[in-house]
Amino acid sequence: MQGPDRARHANRLRWKQANCVGCGRWHDIGPDSSLCDCAKQENLSVSCDLQPATRAALLASVEDNAQSLWRYAPLLPVDRAFGTRLGVGWTPLYDFGDYRGTRFFLKDEARNPSGSLKDRASEAVVAVAAAHGVTDVIVASTGNAAASLACIGAAAGIKVTVLVPRTIPGAKLTQIMAHGASIYRVDGSYDDAYALARTVSLAKGLYNRSTGLNPFTREGKKTCAFEIAEQLGWQAPDWVIVPTGDGNILSGIWKGFHELVALDLLSSMPRLVAAQSAASDLITRRFDPEWARHANNPPHHTIADSITVAQPRDLTAALAALSASRGTAVAVDDDEIVAATRMMASRFGVFCEPSSAAGFAAFERLRERGVIAPQDRVVCLSTGTGLKDLRAVPAPDNLPVISPDAWQEISIGGDRQ
Ligand SMILES: Cc1ncc(COP(=O)(O)O)c(C=O)c1O
């Protein structure tokens, strides 16, 4: 951690213990992101005190009805006073009623300030940073986490440095720059950017928000599970479908539901689905090879660039979440992703980016094969807005242009499915 006189900032974390997601060993934690020193150098999972007093504090906090993830402050790492005013979280859960025989819900994470679920993680990490006087944060990202940290960091007055692959979509680049972050496009993959960010953070003592390294990203993301449960009247759905790259949203969603069960606020867990791109499907191959399309392929080109990762940084916890929830993993092709993007936009009014639409494509496949049964209650996470990445639905150059008085040429209808 750089800059501040750390002695002036006591450890302000609400919870001071974490265990390694691989070997299980307990660690004392501070605000710094650190890995276990076990053979696999796995990441740490924060241990919250899940006693009746925490349950009472949580219910009282929910009663206060903050319109953000801070409504769950008693289960977040630091006091809500360290959060921003941007209103991260408390996104809508749309109930679309009967769809393909299921009771179908979409959780619209595009409503977050920077347009993706990543804001939950950034808000938690930035609050931890602010509580400890950290002035600079670095992140490696496929795009959304960088845009998110740039946005939340700006609101908190924290300087942000981002490392992204050179192929990042233009709108995300613009967004990062508009928020005033320092941006480095790495001539390589997300995995290369990740390694570089780690080297820089260690060499320069910078606080690192990178997914699957910083334990507080999972703490932010788990609030999405809290919201789903609360919005369903403190009930779990049968399935939650999670677009998956590093697997950190997946492990966060599992942790969130698990904490609610431990607090006796839920009586069951949902089954989780990791929805991956067939071009980047290591979690699927490891969990359920039957659903993977290709054996042993390194990631290759896909329209779902946000979930393209060779070495998922939260692999162990993601696989554990799938096993513990009796879930499954599915890899979908780009043509299914494009069809899903169009369907979500034209059937439900939710325009998401291709990586997000992988979740809906996985739903279609699982429903078709009968894995998701009629009457099942399904929540599909729509993790990011389509406005940042238009490649799935480019407007054609040759759209007809008509004269202002050509009313006879106008036929009513559209491309709705
Ligand atoms: C829109 C979107 N959905 C899903 C994911 C996957 O999240 P995770 O890497 O935690 O699996 C990402 C990651 O960048 C993303 O940007």
Side-chain angles (χ1 to χ4, degrees):
M1 199 177 300
Q2 199 188 39
D5 173 9
R6 288 185 54 191
R8 280 190 296 121
H9 298 281
N11 185 348
R12 290 187 164 138
L13 292 179
R14 202 184 302 276
W15 327 108
K16 308 222 174 4
Q17 290 260 296
N19 63 331
C20 169
V21 301
C23 73
R25 217 182 85 211
W26 288 96
H27 293 256
D28 292 334
I29 48 163
D32 300 85
S33 25
S34 55
L35 299 171
C36 185
D37 50 14
C38 63
K40 287 167 86 184
Q41 298 216 322
E42 298 277 9
N43 67 38
L44 304 180
S45 177
V46 177
S47 171
C48 304
D49 185 4
L50 301 173
Q51 299 301 315
T54 309
R55 182 184 198 272
L58 185 71
L59 289 176
S61 174
V62 165
E63 195 72 10
D64 283 348
N65 205 19
Q67 303 292 294
S68 74
L69 53 70
W70 292 104
R71 66 196 282 117
Y72 309 108
L75 284 174
L76 286 170
V78 289
D79 192 276
R80 63 186 291 177
F82 298 108
T84 69
R85 289 155 194 241
L86 290 180
V88 175
W90 199 234
T91 59
L93 179 70
Y94 306 129
D95 179 355
F96 286 111
D98 179 275
Y99 180 69
R100 302 217 194 282
T102 67
R103 177 76 178 271
F104 187 74
F105 299 85
L106 273 175
K107 178 84 168 148
D108 189 5
E109 290 293 301
R111 296 292 195 93
N112 280 301
S114 83
S116 87
L117 188 149
K118 302 279 163 166
D119 288 343
R120 296 179 185 273
S122 298
E123 177 78 2
V125 170
V126 164
V128 169
H132 295 89
V134 175
T135 55
D136 284 81
V137 184
I138 190 169
V139 70
S141 163
T142 53
N144 280 322
S148 166
L149 184 64
C151 166
I152 309 289
I158 281 178
K159 282 187 267 160
V160 169
T161 303
V162 311
L163 273 55
V164 292
R166 66 182 301 171
T167 50
I168 178 178
K172 291 178 185 172
L173 204 54
T174 303
Q175 193 182 14
I176 294 163
M177 295 179 75
H179 288 302
S182 302
I183 179 162
Y184 294 90
R185 288 196 307 152
V186 178
D187 189 11
S189 64
Y190 163 62
D191 297 83
D192 296 322
Y194 192 97
L196 185 57
R198 178 115 171 95
T199 307
V200 174
S201 68
L202 291 174
K204 297 186 187 273
L206 276 180
Y207 192 47
N208 193 338
R209 177 230 179 269
S210 295
T211 296
L213 170 69
N214 190 309
F216 304 109
T217 59
R218 195 182 289 126
E219 295 306 292
K221 289 172 179 176
K222 75 183 182 184
T223 60
C224 187
F226 296 163
E227 288 177 21
I228 293 169
E230 187 186 346
Q231 288 164 329
L232 291 177
W234 298 109
Q235 284 187 358
D238 297 299
W239 298 91
V240 178
I241 304 181
V242 185
T244 298
D246 278 316
N248 192 243
I249 299 179
L250 193 69
S251 74
I253 294 286
W254 186 84
K255 190 172 195 277
F257 281 112
H258 175 74
E259 288 180 356
L260 295 183
V261 169
L263 288 171
D264 220 9
L265 283 164
L266 280 186
S267 55
S268 64
M269 295 284 290
R271 299 176 71 178
L272 303 185
V273 177
Q276 295 207 280
S277 157
S280 174
D281 62 350
L282 192 105
I283 290 176
T284 308
R285 272 188 271 142
R286 291 283 294 274
F287 187 73
D288 206 345
E290 189 201 329
W291 291 97
R293 286 294 175 90
H294 312 281
N296 301 322
N297 269 351
H300 49 278
H301 181 73
T302 164
I303 197 165
D305 63 306
S306 298
I307 52 174
T308 302
V309 34
Q311 198 187 331
R313 301 294 161 169
D314 209 10
L315 178 66
T316 301
L319 292 174
L322 292 176
S323 300
S325 75
R326 296 182 305 113
T328 189
V330 182
V332 290
D333 286 320
D334 274 13
D335 53 358
E336 293 174 277
I337 290 174
V338 170
T341 309
R342 290 178 187 276
M343 183 62 136
M344 285 175 72
S346 63
R347 169 74 169 73
F348 301 115
V350 176
F351 180 34
C352 68
E353 71 165 73
S355 300
S356 273
F360 186 69
F363 164 80
E364 296 278 30
R365 185 104 74 77
L366 291 170
R367 181 67 196 98
E368 196 183 298
R369 303 219 181 152
V371 177
I372 293 180
Q375 315 301 334
D376 279 356
R377 287 168 27 121
V378 182
V379 173
C380 199
L381 297 189
S382 185
T383 44
T385 175
L387 293 175
K388 293 196 226 180
D389 186 348
L390 304 172
R391 287 169 301 168
V393 283
D397 291 335
N398 59 350
L399 273 182
V401 177
I402 59 166
S403 88
D405 56 4
W407 65 270
Q408 308 95 317
E409 288 180 33
I410 293 178
S411 64
I412 305 302
D415 208 8
R416 186 160 300 136
Q417 301 179 21

